[in-house]
Amino acid sequence: MMPYCTEKFAVAIAAIFSIVLIPIGAEAAAPKGPREMSPIAKPVEHDDKVFSPDPSYKDKPYSPQNQIDIYGAKKPVDVVDPLLELFRPVYKEGPFDKGGHGLGEKNLIFPGLSVFGDWRTAVAYNDNGAAEIAQVATRLNLDIDFKITGTERLHAFIRPFDNGGNFTRYEFAGGDEDGHDIVLDGNIDTLFFEGDIGQIYAGLSDTNAKFDWPIALGLMPFLTQNGVWIEDAFIGGATTLTAKNSPMLDITNMDFTVFGGFDKVTTPAFKNDDGGLDDNSASLIGLAAFIEANEGYWEFGYGFVNGEDEFSDLDYHSLTAAFTKRYGGWLSNSLRVLWTFGQDPDDGKEETADGVMLLVENSLITSLPSTFVPYFNVWLGIDRPQPLADDSGILKNTGINFETDGLTGFPKLDDTGHDSFGGALGLMYLFNLDRQIVLEVARVQTIFNDGKGAGDNQTGFGIRYQHPISPAWIIRTDAMYGMLDNKDDILGTRLEIRRKF
């Protein structure tokens, strides 16, 4: 055994050698000559003044609650689970399982099937002038979503308890009540595929995707301009050129979508002899653009509706433009123009799609911008402007007095905007983002009296209140009263319970 003093001497000698020899060896190993740099890189001057000492928290003891308060005292959000989930669920913490390679290693398969939606049941008393009914009606909305990869999926939507605008219901009072009616519908309302050609190509070719090319095919829903121009589900397809920009034109982002439909196209311009909308005698093609510029949002669109069978002479073109912007921190404004033109019916037939609509939507930015929102929307319609594809009029989002409930036939003011002008003045308050109340007064004023518009001046008063009693359950009440010149007044009251899943 080495004596203790000898061991200490050896350690000291080793330390001396390490101090002396390691720098010599490091210097010998260092590369000689100038540093090698990428030709696109260049050194920058170092300035000690731009750096400051790290903050000191010695006088501020750590508090877990303060760390939570930094993020607005947020807490976990209660979620509502889908009605059915198979494979990979919607809400899941990590780590995730490895994806499948059936479509390539760069487009991994993560299958997930979920069924979700809501069940709406309402009791209502509605007097539409032509019909007075008190009823209980129900509607089930089911979305069926099968995720394939991160960008590809199959989606379907069904409503099994209603058909052709008739809902499963029990009419128990009113001058036109007619007992109960159970309505079943096995038809599929939408069934479509959507995905990204860029990601599909990346997986099949085993190369990184250098482009995005989203597509949708099938019986698909299509919505643009907040549903004013198009809100319909038709058999066809769409593809988009996404996320483009132009520094020269000061455009930060722009998208262009080409779409077409050859069946199930619905337009208010094509009506059957009984007044119902025909969705089997029209096709359409169109282009929609969305552009961020001028510190706002531009939307443009062109579409052509081709009539078939008895509507073969009612083809028409549609142009639209819109601009949305905030002004001075106090006003949010959307200005929309729709022009329907080119319809040339045979002798003796009346035009159903011709004219111009100017629609101005305004909301004030108050000291409570997210919860207290006064709004004032106005329009001017000349002749018969029509949406490109929709089952209702252009004014359906102008105010609550222009929309029905899609369940009990809740009354509304004329939503076509034909040969008329008017507006809706309202106030929406969301409390602490946990409830909603809307108060509104609206007016329809006819012009020209040429038989193309509603035919009567109309004034409506409406109120709506919604309250979620749990993450899955919502209670909503509505009431409206409409005064129509030369016709009976209209009245509606309803209470709805909605279960989400």
Side-chain angles (χ1 to χ4, degrees):
M1 173 177 285
M2 182 182 296
Y4 177 71
C5 60
T6 306
E7 181 178 357
K8 290 179 61 179
F9 177 77
V11 170
I13 294 298
I16 294 172
F17 272 96
S18 66
I19 294 173
V20 174
L21 295 181
I22 289 178
I24 296 175
E27 181 178 354
K32 297 181 179 180
R35 290 179 297 170
E36 294 184 0
M37 298 178 61
S38 169
I40 63 175
K42 61 180 180 179
V44 296
E45 295 182 1
H46 176 72
D47 185 2
D48 290 333
K49 296 180 181 179
V50 301
F51 297 94
S52 61
D54 291 337
S56 174
Y57 300 101
K58 292 181 179 180
D59 58 336
K60 300 175 182 178
Y62 178 79
S63 168
Q65 185 59 45
N66 289 342
Q67 300 304 310
I68 296 175
D69 292 341
I70 290 175
Y71 300 97
K74 293 182 178 178
K75 58 184 179 181
V77 177
D78 293 329
V79 299
V80 180
D81 292 324
L83 186 64
L84 173 67
E85 282 187 303
L86 297 176
F87 313 115
R88 186 172 178 175
V90 176
Y91 303 108
K92 177 179 173 60
E93 302 83 6
F96 297 127
D97 297 332
K98 293 182 178 179
H101 295 172
L103 296 176
E105 295 186 358
K106 290 183 169 56
N107 192 29
L108 300 179
I109 296 175
F110 296 98
L113 175 65
S114 58
V115 179
F116 56 93
D118 58 19
W119 195 328
R120 301 171 53 197
T121 301
V123 55
Y125 170 79
N126 299 325
D127 184 356
N128 285 285
E132 178 188 0
I133 299 173
Q135 61 179 299
V136 178
T138 190
R139 167 176 172 171
L140 178 62
N141 302 312
L142 289 177
D143 286 273
I144 305 169
D145 192 80
F146 180 67
K147 300 179 181 67
I148 304 171
T149 70
T151 53
E152 282 73 57
R153 67 168 182 159
L154 289 169
H155 191 93
F157 176 70
I158 59 175
R159 288 169 24 189
F161 293 155
D162 62 274
N163 192 350
N166 294 317
F167 295 84
T168 295
R169 64 196 183 279
Y170 175 66
E171 300 173 0
F172 58 86
D176 299 283
E177 65 91 7
D178 192 25
H180 70 277
D181 191 3
I182 298 176
V183 181
L184 301 178
D185 182 13
N187 295 324
I188 296 176
D189 292 275
T190 68
L191 175 60
F192 62 96
F193 166 82
E194 67 177 9
D196 191 299
I197 296 295
Q199 292 299 320
I200 295 173
Y201 173 78
L204 298 179
S205 64
D206 198 31
T207 58
N208 291 322
K210 297 182 179 180
F211 63 93
D212 295 320
W213 187 2
I215 62 168
L217 300 168
L219 177 53
M220 62 178 196
F222 196 95
L223 183 147
T224 185
Q225 290 217 28
N226 197 30
V228 172
W229 192 47
I230 303 176
E231 186 175 4
D232 194 19
F234 49 79
I235 298 176
T239 184
T240 299
L241 184 66
T242 64
K244 303 302 177 183
N245 64 80
S246 173
M248 181 178 68
L249 299 177
D250 194 26
I251 296 175
T252 57
N253 181 40
M254 53 183 171
D255 299 338
F256 300 92
T257 300
V258 178
F259 58 91
F262 59 86
D263 196 9
K264 297 296 182 182
V265 175
T266 306
T267 167
F270 295 175
K271 293 185 177 180
N272 298 319
D273 294 336
D274 60 0
L277 300 183
D278 189 300
D279 64 354
N280 295 312
S281 301
S283 58
L284 65 80
I285 57 172
L287 170 68
F290 176 85
I291 300 173
E292 295 184 35
N294 307 113
E295 299 181 350
Y297 306 94
W298 290 93
E299 296 173 274
F300 299 97
Y302 165 76
F304 173 71
V305 176
N306 180 53
E308 302 168 0
D309 301 326
E310 67 268 33
F311 305 105
S312 59
D313 59 337
L314 296 180
D315 303 345
Y316 65 91
H317 302 262
S318 179
L319 280 173
T320 181
F323 182 64
T324 301
K325 184 178 178 177
R326 287 192 171 189
Y327 296 93
W330 65 276
L331 176 67
S332 292
N333 169 265
S334 291
L335 177 64
R336 304 183 190 276
V337 178
L338 288 88
W339 179 27
T340 308
F341 62 98
Q343 193 175 72
D344 186 19
D346 294 338
D347 294 340
K349 276 192 176 182
E350 192 175 27
E351 289 183 338
T352 60
D354 63 305
V356 178
M357 166 74 74
L358 173 64
L359 179 60
V360 184
E361 301 164 322
N362 306 282
S363 63
L364 296 181
I365 303 172
T366 66
S367 59
L368 300 173
S370 298
T371 57
F372 187 74
V373 184
Y375 63 88
F376 179 49
N377 304 325
V378 296
W379 84 89
L380 171 63
I382 306 297
D383 291 332
R384 290 193 182 101
Q386 300 285 13
L388 183 67
D390 202 345
D391 62 356
S392 59
I394 296 175
L395 301 179
K396 64 180 179 180
N397 292 326
T398 299
I400 62 174
N401 284 296
F402 295 94
E403 62 179 29
T404 185
D405 64 349
L407 181 58
T408 68
F410 192 72
K412 62 179 179 178
L413 301 184
D414 180 76
D415 63 355
T416 64
H418 295 171
D419 269 348
S420 65
F421 68 93
L425 174 65
L427 175 64
M428 179 176 67
Y429 183 47
L430 300 176
F431 298 86
N432 293 317
L433 295 176
D434 56 354
R435 287 169 288 166
Q436 179 197 50
I437 187 169
V438 183
L439 302 171
E440 181 186 283
V441 58
R443 175 70 174 176
V444 177
Q445 185 74 33
T446 60
I447 54 179
F448 301 135
N449 294 320
D450 56 4
K452 294 183 178 181
D456 294 282
N457 299 326
Q458 304 177 2
T459 302
F461 303 90
I463 182 172
R464 173 178 298 167
Y465 178 74
Q466 292 191 89
H467 193 141
I469 57 178
S470 75
W473 292 90
I474 297 175
I475 292 179
R476 167 177 158 179
T477 61
D478 296 86
M480 76 88 62
Y481 183 76
M483 298 182 294
L484 283 61
D485 291 354
N486 304 316
K487 290 183 180 179
D488 293 336
D489 292 348
I490 56 177
L491 169 69
T493 59
R494 62 188 297 275
L495 170 66
E496 177 181 323
I497 298 177
R498 178 183 175 193
R499 172 64 162 91
K500 300 190 301 180
F501 44 79

